[in-house]
Amino acid sequence: MDKQRKVQDKKVISFIPDGEFYYNKALQAMQRDRFDDAHRYLKRATELSPKDSKILMQYGVLVMEEGRFEEAHELLMGAHTLDPAEAEIIFYLAEVHAHLGMLRDAKLYAEKYIAMDPDGPFADESMEIIDFAEQEASHFDDDEMPDGEAYFLQEKARSLMEAGDFTAAVELLESIIVDYPEFWAAYNNLALAYFYIGKTVRASELVHEILEHNKGNIHALCNLAVFYYYEKKEEELQSLLDLLVKIKPYQFEHRYKLGATFALVGRHKEAYDWLRSLQKRGFQGDAGYYFWLAHCAYFSGHEEVAKEAYSELVEMDPTKVGYEPWKDVQADIQADSVEQDREFLLEKIQNTYRSERMFGFYLLGKSGHKQEIISHPSYIDVDKLSEFEQLFLASGIEEDFMPQISFDPSFLRALETTDLLYAKYRPLDKQGTHLFQMWFTLCETALSRSFLFRNPAALAAAADYMFQSSRYSGVTKAAIAREFGISVPTLTKYVGELIEYLPQFDA
């Protein structure tokens, strides 16, 4: 009996799967285009056989095909360490370095593969990598091309920043610039990391240090523009933008950086010109590229391009659904409407007069710039707004931006009156903005005196009549009353009520 059990135990043990078992399962899954299964099997194979160079290589190739180049780099380097003479691993190292932009190393590995196996299955692809690396390298100075290790560490730091771990990114980038004191890409990323954690002085010092030693560094100039934008240094920003407009870089990376920077600071036409030109030249961007292209295209009147770009973005990052710049913006609000005039909106919400700010907050809810402006760290400080400003702001934006706010019936009727006026004059032109400036002056005073705002239709008609009759001849109460569905006596009554809230001036 014991002998039989031992035989059975041996049979059971012989069927325990090892790395080779999962590796073969992965190959079968790939042949059937079941790549999720292949990924799972290869991951398990590497766990069971971490010293098998063949398994590490295959997993690295699969990860590379999924676009996770940093992870693929680590796997393939591990495979190469285990089997430095394997030509296939060397070819894939050339490929992954090319994807990471580490062209000097990509060329070295491709040349090594050719030397080892000149007629091998990857010889043609290796020659393409060599040609590409040589063409790209002609556009760089030697000082701009760090070695592979420095570039890889810098990319790892950038990934940490994208994940929001700025403290870890700062530590890594600080170590990089110690070892590579002229690696300006690392300096630029370090400056951004410091800026994002609130150390703005250190961030600015780093950017100026770059420009002192590497005049004309486009990334540094663009980062400085972003700092000026967030710190609201308008004169410095304008001066720098005047310089950036004159720069005409050749490299895709620099064009992308310029386009994204112009988009961020609201210079949508310049941003569209750069980002669209990249697309026309076959540039395949990341999620950030399509985000900025969609925004600048929309705000410069290229709605079809904007929607195509946002579709690409959502395919890459489904969490961006619902954040389209045109979300909640009605079809008649065109790029040249007041609602889409970013500078007009900013002037209103930062105005010294509360009634003007109330107008700005109301109009913000109708604008495609809504997300951009409310997410800016220094444009709106909710805690410093008056109750009425908060109410008009809350009426048109996402609820999670605002503290808990209750709308009393009087305010809701004031808002309904405002909506009736807006329905008549939308999209706003110059005349419409003057009407609303008058209305919000009346509205602010009336709200502060606890006016009940009974009969919103009559109040809207009264405000419209007061505005038009003060500017144009031939305006009749009968015509205005008919537009708003009320009687002339009712209109007359509410004109009398609103006049009480007109500003009083000394004789």
Side-chain angles (χ1 to χ4, degrees):
M1 191 73 171
D2 290 340
K3 185 177 181 182
Q4 185 179 0
R5 182 174 298 143
K6 286 179 181 178
V7 171
Q8 289 175 341
D9 287 346
K10 285 182 179 178
K11 287 181 179 179
V12 170
I13 291 170
S14 69
F15 283 110
I16 292 177
D18 56 8
E20 186 72 21
F21 171 81
Y22 282 108
Y23 172 75
N24 290 324
K25 291 274 288 180
L27 294 181
Q28 292 172 7
M30 284 190 282
Q31 288 169 359
R32 297 169 186 168
D33 293 334
R34 289 163 44 203
F35 294 104
D36 288 343
D37 290 339
H39 185 283
R40 189 170 68 254
Y41 291 142
L42 280 171
K43 187 173 186 298
R44 183 60 177 149
T46 60
E47 292 167 352
L48 293 171
S49 302
K51 301 298 184 183
D52 191 318
S53 62
K54 174 184 64 178
I55 292 174
L56 287 178
M57 180 196 73
Q58 191 63 61
Y59 191 32
V61 171
L62 182 62
V63 167
M64 179 167 57
E65 289 175 351
E66 293 173 348
R68 292 153 50 199
F69 302 117
E70 289 88 355
E71 186 179 347
H73 178 274
E74 290 189 20
L75 289 163
L76 290 166
M77 288 298 289
H80 182 54
T81 301
L82 293 167
D83 190 357
E86 173 54 53
E88 190 173 0
I89 295 174
I90 289 169
F91 165 73
Y92 285 122
L93 279 171
E95 189 172 14
V96 77
H97 279 87
H99 279 299
L100 286 167
M102 299 154 71
L103 301 182
R104 188 177 283 163
D105 294 88
K107 181 172 179 283
L108 288 173
Y109 283 116
E111 289 172 340
K112 189 174 181 179
Y113 176 85
I114 294 291
M116 293 175 69
D117 196 357
D119 298 318
F122 302 111
D124 290 342
E125 290 93 332
S126 295
M127 287 305 302
E128 289 177 6
I129 290 172
I130 293 168
D131 290 343
F132 174 74
E134 288 176 345
Q135 290 173 19
E136 289 296 307
S138 66
H139 305 308
F140 292 89
D141 296 329
D142 286 342
D143 290 342
E144 293 177 316
M145 295 289 287
D147 66 28
E149 182 64 18
Y151 192 98
F152 178 69
L153 290 173
Q154 195 264 155
E155 288 300 298
K156 190 172 182 179
R158 191 168 60 82
S159 296
L160 288 170
M161 291 170 63
E162 290 173 353
D165 193 350
F166 296 108
T167 302
V170 164
E171 291 177 3
L172 181 54
L173 289 163
E174 286 282 13
S175 69
I176 293 172
I177 66 173
V178 169
D179 294 332
Y180 303 92
E182 293 187 349
F183 186 11
W184 306 121
Y187 277 82
N188 271 309
N189 278 326
L190 180 58
L192 286 173
Y194 272 123
F195 190 78
Y196 290 141
I197 62 175
K199 296 186 177 181
T200 56
V201 173
R202 177 59 178 146
S204 183
E205 288 173 350
L206 280 166
V207 169
H208 284 99
E209 185 177 344
I210 297 167
L211 294 171
E212 182 180 342
H213 294 93
N214 190 225
K215 291 180 173 62
N217 185 294
I218 291 176
H219 282 265
L221 291 170
C222 288
N223 289 340
L224 190 58
V226 171
F227 297 169
Y228 287 156
Y229 170 73
Y230 279 118
E231 294 173 334
K232 297 170 68 176
K233 295 181 177 179
E234 300 295 339
E235 288 186 17
E236 293 92 335
L237 174 60
Q238 188 57 52
S239 176
L240 185 51
L241 291 177
D242 290 343
L243 170 63
L244 291 176
V245 166
K246 298 173 184 176
I247 296 174
K248 308 296 180 187
Y250 178 81
Q251 290 176 246
F252 276 14
E253 180 188 0
H254 290 158
R255 294 181 175 203
Y256 179 5
K257 182 70 174 181
L258 274 175
T261 302
F262 280 127
L264 175 67
V265 302
R267 295 283 289 266
H268 298 295
K269 182 185 180 302
E270 291 90 344
Y272 179 78
D273 289 343
W274 279 122
L275 298 178
R276 182 63 168 156
S277 72
L278 287 174
Q279 192 178 47
K280 288 178 177 178
R281 287 168 173 76
F283 179 72
Q284 296 295 316
D286 56 9
Y289 169 77
Y290 288 106
F291 174 85
W292 290 120
L293 176 59
H295 276 70
C296 67
Y298 178 70
F299 289 117
S300 56
H302 304 278
E303 292 191 29
E304 221 32 64
V305 175
K307 289 178 179 177
E308 288 173 6
Y310 212 88
S311 177
E312 293 279 354
L313 170 61
V314 168
E315 194 171 325
M316 294 179 176
D317 183 359
T319 64
K320 291 295 185 287
V321 173
Y323 292 95
E324 299 86 348
W326 52 86
K327 185 176 183 288
D328 301 328
V329 177
Q330 301 299 317
D332 58 341
I333 309 299
Q334 303 300 324
D336 58 353
S337 301
V338 171
E339 292 88 336
Q340 301 292 57
D341 187 336
R342 179 177 173 277
E343 298 311 312
F344 178 87
L345 291 170
L346 290 176
E347 188 278 322
K348 290 300 175 192
I349 67 174
Q350 298 171 338
N351 200 282
T352 55
Y353 292 100
R354 185 168 62 177
S355 62
E356 293 284 276
R357 297 196 299 272
M358 288 163 59
F359 176 28
F361 291 135
Y362 174 79
L363 206 57
L364 184 60
K366 317 294 183 186
S367 174
H369 291 288
K370 175 172 62 176
Q371 291 293 337
E372 172 200 348
I373 289 175
I374 65 174
S375 63
H376 190 289
S378 58
Y379 281 158
I380 302 173
D381 186 346
V382 175
D383 294 333
K384 292 183 179 178
L385 301 183
S386 67
E387 178 188 1
F388 304 137
E389 290 171 83
Q390 287 191 17
L391 289 171
F392 276 108
L393 176 59
S395 70
I397 66 171
E398 301 296 330
E399 294 178 1
D400 57 0
F401 176 74
M402 297 295 295
Q404 190 64 36
I405 285 183
S406 58
F407 297 94
D408 68 40
S410 295
F411 174 80
L412 289 175
R413 288 191 291 270
L415 180 61
E416 184 181 348
T417 306
T418 310
D419 287 340
L420 288 169
L421 288 168
Y422 183 71
K424 176 176 178 178
Y425 284 92
R426 59 173 292 172
L428 296 190
D429 56 13
K430 190 173 182 180
Q431 175 183 332
T433 62
H434 290 158
L435 164 67
F436 273 88
Q437 286 169 326
M438 183 204 77
W439 165 246
F440 275 98
T441 300
L442 292 169
C443 189
E444 177 198 3
T445 306
L447 284 167
S448 66
R449 295 186 193 173
S450 302
F451 183 57
L452 294 178
F453 289 90
R454 293 191 177 95
N455 199 338
L459 286 166
D464 194 21
Y465 176 75
M466 290 167 65
F467 174 76
Q468 290 203 48
S469 62
S470 68
R471 288 174 171 257
Y472 312 109
S473 61
V475 177
T476 66
K477 287 184 177 179
I480 298 291
R482 192 163 47 250
E483 272 190 86
F484 288 88
I486 62 171
S487 67
V488 171
T490 300
L491 173 58
T492 302
K493 173 190 173 184
Y494 281 94
V495 167
E497 289 191 6
L498 283 185
I499 285 175
E500 296 294 320
Y501 301 107
L502 283 174
Q504 300 298 311
F505 300 100
D506 293 334

